[in-house]
Amino acid sequence: MKLSNMVGERFKERPSECVIDSHAFSVRGGYIKYVANGIYSLYPPMKRVTAKIENIIREEMDAADSQEVLFPVVLPGSLWEESGRFESVGEELLRFKDRSDSSMVLGMTHEEAAVQMVREWGNTYAKYPFSIYQIQTKFRDEARPRAGLIRVREFTMKDAYSFHTSQEDLEKYYDVMANSYFRIFERAGIPEVISVKSDSGMIGGSVSHEYMLLVDAGEDSIVLCEDCGYSANMEAADTTVDNSGCAPAAELKKVHTPDCKTIEAVCTFLGSKVEESCKAVIYQKNMTDEYVVVFIRGDYEVNETKLTNLLGDKVHAAVITEECGLCAGFCGPYKQEAKCQILFDKTLEGIENLCCGANEVDYHYTGLNIKRDIGDVEYVDVSKIRTGDICPCCGKKTIKISRGIEVGNIFQLGTKYSKSMGMTYTDVDGSVKTPIMGCYGIGVGRLAASVMEAKHDDYGPIWPITIAPWQVHLCCMRPDNEDCKTAADNIYKELQNAGVEVIYDDRKVQAGVMFADADLLGVPVRVTVGPKNIANGQVELSTRDKSVKTLVALDDSVKEIQALIANLYAEINSKVRERIQ
């Protein structure tokens, strides 16, 4: 392709709405066009990148014996009613009525469609196991789209669904898919992706993992142990604390604490440690408005995903009224008489001398011993794990919190969808059973943007050769110079004839503009044809990452370019693990 003909503009200024680099480069480099909040059109460079990512995904899914299918974008609401998700999923699911007044949805995920496709066909054990996948447009009505293609409302996603007759068979295939996912990311040039234990969320299932690319601009908090290799999403990491060094038991006393409504103010007033305090975080359940009071160590925060999973209902910050019986700012567990659900977080376990609210304005207790003063309570884990906490795996105080972007996820679904939607098969002994499912997703556009976020410098993306929009960027510095233009034209034709993907900058622009655009397009190999070097029978060959910069003979240029491309592919492929079957 000639750059002079390519649709889309590139420009120097960073858009003010772009908070992360990949979003800024996507806009500046002519990759995406804003259409509506969280909805973008893709210009040719990004379309070429995503097409290459899709090809890698297809090759790996096919190698894992998954068969490509295609589900509708628009689905009848009745399918989601079968699974129970039509009502349980929140506003992210876009619901509407068609002209016949039938309930319809825009597919945000396709578990229901997958079951509907195969439930009659998969009626005998002889058909199992099998796996199907699609690469399709989806719509999730995100409340706060951000960061360009990282978090959008409309997106392209690969989702696969496997069906099995035993948990053991599902686990075996789950490992195959886990390996395939690592291969996809390694082939896309980001071998640093890690797998972390995750919360299954609305998808459901007992086991799930997310694939995280660790970058500072990531929107997810990842819990890591550098000592034993433990990794988990913040929502799935168990919090364990050591309270062995706390103050010994003391007499329970009620203390006047005027205007001390925060745990920090109370501890400052009393001269006590925040680590030996008990604070109340008050919520209401979304469905019933029932009050839920979480008592937690003063220096910890509630993990609302853990809380939601425990309660089986989403929550919101409570509106404290006079009738509810809760004393805002002075709420405590001792002699708590309000009508509410009370939870004790495990961060309080083992502390024998706590300060806490006295359920009376301007008063707190000191010396609270939960076991002595309240009795035996059940401790639950609803807190956010922190840097320096105890690793749930090795037991050492080595936890570190990093930021990451989720680039894929896999789930062991069990029978959540197959059972609710009436999918059964006849087993070898004639009994009727329900198949067990797994599902596996990768957002194509998000993966492209994530690679850009991880692989860039101050001037633009540095695309891995495997997913770069083109393999070679050919720059003709002086198209008005006959020798220069003739040499560049000939290289362009020879590269095309050799099957090399090349973008040819044939424009009459200043060198600074040409090189700035080349940086924004991020093509791995650059060939610069200038009059001075042509006079010496040479062209400049370089790489976008600046690891290579050399002069090669004009007559050997195509051969040298092909060799450099081969080396770049070999470097990436050397980091790709073997497939497992």
Side-chain angles (χ1 to χ4, degrees), residues 57 66 96 101 129 144 166 185 187 232 258 261 309 387 436 526 538:
I57 290 173
S66 193
F96 63 98
D101 202 36
R144 291 175 293 276
S166 70
F185 302 129
R187 291 181 61 185
K261 293 185 177 182
N309 291 340
T387 295
I436 301 169
R526 188 178 304 178
Q538 296 177 311

Side-chain angles (χ1 to χ4, degrees), residues 250-542:
E251 180 185 358
L252 181 66
K253 294 181 179 179
K254 189 175 181 180
V255 181
H256 186 222
T257 52
D259 298 322
C260 294
K261 293 185 177 182
T262 67
I263 203 68
E264 292 78 14
V266 171
C267 291
T268 299
F269 182 84
L270 296 175
S272 59
K273 297 179 180 179
V274 177
E275 294 86 346
E276 296 175 6
S277 65
C278 170
K279 69 180 177 184
V281 186
I282 308 173
Y283 296 94
Q284 286 177 273
K285 295 181 180 180
N286 282 7
M287 288 193 293
T288 64
D289 270 346
E290 177 188 357
Y291 286 93
V292 178
V293 181
V294 178
F295 292 110
I296 188 171
R297 209 173 89 173
D299 56 335
Y300 275 80
E301 300 297 326
V302 174
N303 185 318
E304 292 186 5
T305 300
K306 286 183 179 180
L307 180 59
T308 294
N309 291 340
L310 178 69
L311 297 174
D313 189 3
K314 290 185 177 181
V315 296
H316 58 273
V319 177
I320 306 298
T321 64
E322 292 183 7
E323 296 78 19
C324 74
L326 294 167
C327 189
F330 302 92
C331 182
Y334 183 65
K335 294 186 176 180
Q336 176 57 254
E337 297 177 353
K339 187 178 180 181
C340 60
Q341 183 175 354
I342 294 176
L343 299 174
F344 290 88
D345 186 74
K346 61 189 293 188
T347 52
L348 296 171
E349 191 170 9
I351 305 178
E352 298 180 340
N353 188 340
L354 286 164
C355 72
C356 66
N359 300 309
E360 183 179 342
V361 174
D362 289 342
Y363 283 91
H364 282 79
Y365 284 112
T366 62
L368 176 74
N369 184 310
I370 292 177
K371 185 174 180 62
R372 180 194 67 198
D373 302 322
I374 299 175
D376 292 326
V377 302
E378 179 185 358
Y379 291 97
V380 297
D381 179 11
V382 292
S383 61
K384 290 182 180 178
I385 194 170
R386 308 182 312 178
T387 295
D389 276 353
I390 296 171
C391 173
C393 184
C394 69
K396 298 179 182 178
K397 295 181 179 180
T398 49
I399 286 298
K400 175 184 176 183
I401 310 298
S402 297
R403 304 296 296 175
I405 300 173
E406 179 190 339
V407 290
N409 49 54
I410 58 177
F411 301 84
Q412 293 184 25
L413 293 177
T415 60
K416 175 178 178 178
Y417 297 93
S418 52
K419 184 175 182 179
S420 63
M421 297 182 68
M423 182 177 180
T424 61
Y425 66 92
T426 302
D427 207 352
V428 63
D429 62 0
S431 61
V432 177
K433 294 183 178 178
T434 301
I436 301 169
M437 291 177 61
C439 78
Y440 320 86
I442 292 178
V444 176
R446 170 179 278 215
L447 179 53
S450 298
V451 174
M452 188 186 289
E453 188 62 42
K455 308 289 182 181
H456 72 268
D457 58 16
D458 292 340
Y459 307 103
I462 304 173
W463 290 111
I465 189 75
T466 49
I467 64 169
W470 295 274
Q471 297 166 325
V472 175
H473 193 125
L474 175 61
C475 297
C476 180
M477 303 306 297
R478 289 282 303 278
D480 58 335
N481 179 290
E482 183 176 351
D483 291 339
C484 190
K485 186 176 187 308
T486 298
D489 285 349
N490 288 338
I491 292 173
Y492 180 52
K493 291 176 183 177
E494 288 186 53
L495 288 173
Q496 286 188 308
N497 291 336
V500 176
E501 300 169 358
V502 55
I503 180 74
Y504 178 21
D505 195 342
D506 59 335
R507 302 171 300 166
K508 293 181 181 179
V509 296
Q510 295 180 346
V513 173
M514 188 171 289
F515 289 143
D517 283 356
D519 285 340
L520 285 170
L521 290 174
V523 177
V525 176
R526 188 178 304 178
V527 181
T528 306
V529 182
K532 181 179 178 181
N533 287 332
I534 285 298
N536 295 323
Q538 296 177 311
V539 296
E540 183 180 277
L541 185 59
S542 61

Side-chain angles (χ1 to χ4, degrees), residues 90-384:
E91 295 178 351
E92 294 86 1
L93 178 64
L94 188 61
R95 305 163 176 87
F96 63 98
K97 299 277 190 177
D98 66 9
R99 66 174 64 197
S100 301
D101 202 36
S102 298
S103 294
M104 310 293 287
V105 302
L106 286 186
M108 57 191 292
T109 180
H110 279 76
E111 285 78 12
E112 288 85 356
V115 173
Q116 190 270 344
M117 173 180 273
V118 299
R119 62 182 165 187
E120 288 84 14
W121 177 84
N123 60 0
T124 173
Y125 75 94
K127 303 283 184 69
Y128 293 82
F130 62 91
S131 173
I132 54 178
Y133 78 95
Q134 67 163 351
I135 299 176
Q136 174 64 293
T137 300
K138 296 176 183 286
F139 189 89
R140 187 190 306 263
D141 202 5
E142 290 281 356
R144 291 175 293 276
R146 61 179 293 275
L149 298 183
I150 298 292
R151 182 167 290 279
V152 290
R153 294 196 293 161
E154 182 181 286
F155 53 98
T156 299
M157 184 175 178
K158 186 284 301 179
D159 48 326
Y161 305 92
S162 64
F163 297 78
H164 310 267
T165 58
S166 70
Q167 178 64 26
E168 293 75 18
D169 191 60
L170 168 60
E171 291 173 3
K172 180 180 177 181
Y173 192 72
Y174 192 81
D175 290 341
V176 170
M177 274 293 189
N179 175 265
S180 298
Y181 267 46
F182 278 122
R183 284 182 54 87
I184 289 168
F185 302 129
E186 289 158 356
R187 291 181 61 185
I190 46 173
E192 56 269 34
V193 167
I194 65 170
S195 171
V196 305
K197 178 184 175 184
S198 66
D199 172 66
S200 297
M202 70 162 188
I203 300 297
S206 58
V207 177
S208 61
H209 289 82
E210 292 173 344
Y211 290 81
M212 290 289 179
L213 178 60
L214 300 182
V215 291
D216 292 339
E219 59 184 357
D220 290 303
S221 295
I222 311 303
V223 179
L224 304 172
C225 174
E226 297 178 340
D227 200 65
C228 73
Y230 171 82
S231 60
N233 190 292
M234 178 70 77
E235 284 71 30
D238 298 329
T239 305
T240 303
V241 298
D242 180 9
N243 289 326
S244 59
C246 292
E251 180 185 358
L252 181 66
K253 294 181 179 179
K254 189 175 181 180
V255 181
H256 186 222
T257 52
D259 298 322
C260 294
K261 293 185 177 182
T262 67
I263 203 68
E264 292 78 14
V266 171
C267 291
T268 299
F269 182 84
L270 296 175
S272 59
K273 297 179 180 179
V274 177
E275 294 86 346
E276 296 175 6
S277 65
C278 170
K279 69 180 177 184
V281 186
I282 308 173
Y283 296 94
Q284 286 177 273
K285 295 181 180 180
N286 282 7
M287 288 193 293
T288 64
D289 270 346
E290 177 188 357
Y291 286 93
V292 178
V293 181
V294 178
F295 292 110
I296 188 171
R297 209 173 89 173
D299 56 335
Y300 275 80
E301 300 297 326
V302 174
N303 185 318
E304 292 186 5
T305 300
K306 286 183 179 180
L307 180 59
T308 294
N309 291 340
L310 178 69
L311 297 174
D313 189 3
K314 290 185 177 181
V315 296
H316 58 273
V319 177
I320 306 298
T321 64
E322 292 183 7
E323 296 78 19
C324 74
L326 294 167
C327 189
F330 302 92
C331 182
Y334 183 65
K335 294 186 176 180
Q336 176 57 254
E337 297 177 353
K339 187 178 180 181
C340 60
Q341 183 175 354
I342 294 176
L343 299 174
F344 290 88
D345 186 74
K346 61 189 293 188
T347 52
L348 296 171
E349 191 170 9
I351 305 178
E352 298 180 340
N353 188 340
L354 286 164
C355 72
C356 66
N359 300 309
E360 183 179 342
V361 174
D362 289 342
Y363 283 91
H364 282 79
Y365 284 112
T366 62
L368 176 74
N369 184 310
I370 292 177
K371 185 174 180 62
R372 180 194 67 198
D373 302 322
I374 299 175
D376 292 326
V377 302
E378 179 185 358
Y379 291 97
V380 297
D381 179 11
V382 292
S383 61
K384 290 182 180 178

